[in-house]
Structure formats: structure tokens, C-alpha cells
Amino acid sequence: MKTPAPETFEGQILALLPSLRRYSRSLTRSDADGEDLLQDCVEKVLARRSQWRGLNLRGWALTIMTNLYRNTRRQSPPSMMVELDSAEDMPSPETTADPLERLRLEDALNSLSEENRAVLMLVIIEGYTYSEVAAALDIPVGTVMSRLSRARQRLGDLMKADNVITLRRPK
């Protein structure tokens, strides 16, 4: 299969896939659901190609993904959790970082509201400007700034190591 040229519509969508994948996973909090959302988004973007006005493909795709996610959340009941005992045979990726710190960060991110987490991920991880995020989420720039500020404050509070006991070093 031939890879599309970067200047074509398909080539531009292909270049956006890593960013869209990260955003979909941050919205859904799940790799599998994130992949499903990504696939639905790309399918809708390609199907509605004629509606794109040629200005900001990334913002247009993010808006479609956000709307798809919101629509699925409204239509479906809350997902069922899998018991830990039934998931013991599932493989887990190897990590070189401190797993407890990673879990603390993941818990802190998941404790953020959906709106604050989306803004945080788009601005901090994806590097979008406030105006791009405002356009993609269809909210005012001031709302983007306040949600980002609240998300950063909440993450900072949750990640403080107040509950960590430091051990004395032997003399």
C-alpha cells in the first residue's frame, strides 16, 4: 500500500494520528476505547472531507473527536470495570520509571474533571495554543485559561509528596 503524499488531505490526517491518538486516550482513559474513538474520528473526518474549509485541519479533527466522545458518553451507560483477579493473566508493559510515581500521576490525572483534563492534555502534552483549544472545544479563551489553571493547581496538590515518609540515613 502506498503512503499518501504529505501535502494531500490523507497525508495531513496521517501526520495528525499520533496527536489524535494521545488526545483520544486522554479523553477515554483507556487504550482500547481511545483506539476506537480514534478510528471513529478518522472515519468521520474522511467521510466529511467535503465539509472541511481548508483552514485548520488539526482543530477541525479535534472538534470532531471531542464531539464524538461527548455523544458516546451521553448515549452509553458507564463502563463496567474488570475485577483485578480476572485480569491477572493480562500482560503489562515494562516500565523503567518508578511505577508508584507513575500510578500517582495517573490517579491524579484521572481525578481531574473531564473538561479540565481535556484542556490540560491539549495545551501541555499536545502544545496547542489557548485559542486553538478554545476553537476545538468551542469554549472562550478565558475558560481555557481558567480550566488549565485549575487543572495545574489540582495536579500540584495531588502530586505533593506529603504522605511520603523519608527514612533517616544511618550514621
Side-chain angles (χ1 to χ4, degrees):
M1 180 160 192
K2 186 178 172 187
T3 304
E7 63 275 356
T8 65
F9 183 81
E10 291 82 6
Q12 291 175 20
I13 293 296
L14 193 60
L16 286 176
L17 284 181
S19 173
L20 291 173
R21 179 172 284 116
R22 285 189 299 269
Y23 183 56
S24 69
R25 287 180 176 171
S26 73
L27 285 175
T28 61
R29 301 180 191 178
S30 163
D31 289 345
D33 293 340
E35 288 297 320
D36 291 343
L37 179 60
L38 175 67
Q39 183 175 348
D40 292 344
C41 175
V42 171
E43 180 181 328
K44 189 161 282 217
V45 165
L46 293 174
R48 296 187 176 184
R49 177 182 181 173
S50 62
Q51 295 176 359
W52 181 55
R53 301 294 175 230
L55 297 176
N56 183 0
L57 183 60
R58 180 171 64 177
W60 186 61
L62 285 173
T63 302
I64 289 174
M65 181 174 286
T66 302
N67 290 337
L68 280 170
Y69 174 71
R70 288 176 180 163
N71 290 341
T72 19
R73 291 266 313 203
R74 280 188 214 117
Q75 294 169 358
S76 65
S79 64
M80 300 299 293
M81 301 299 278
V82 176
E83 291 295 323
L84 187 58
D85 294 334
S86 65
E88 66 186 16
D89 296 332
M90 294 177 64
S92 62
E94 293 292 325
T95 58
T96 56
D98 180 8
L100 295 177
E101 192 65 22
R102 184 177 180 275
L103 286 174
R104 285 182 65 224
L105 178 60
E106 188 175 326
D107 288 343
L109 285 170
N110 287 337
S111 74
L112 295 175
S113 70
E114 178 182 312
E115 294 85 12
N116 290 351
R117 189 178 63 254
V119 169
L120 181 80
M121 297 304 286
L122 288 172
V123 171
I124 303 299
I125 305 299
E126 299 302 328
Y128 294 121
T129 65
Y130 294 168
S131 58
E132 290 173 330
V133 173
L137 299 179
D138 196 27
I139 56 176
V141 174
T143 304
V144 170
M145 294 182 344
S146 65
R147 286 181 184 176
L148 181 61
S149 175
R150 283 193 298 269
R152 284 178 171 163
Q153 180 65 45
R154 176 101 171 116
L155 272 182
D157 292 345
L158 292 171
M159 293 303 292
K160 284 183 183 172
D162 292 337
N163 62 343
V164 176
I165 301 170
T166 55
L167 301 175
R168 279 188 316 125
R169 291 185 180 213
K171 292 184 181 183

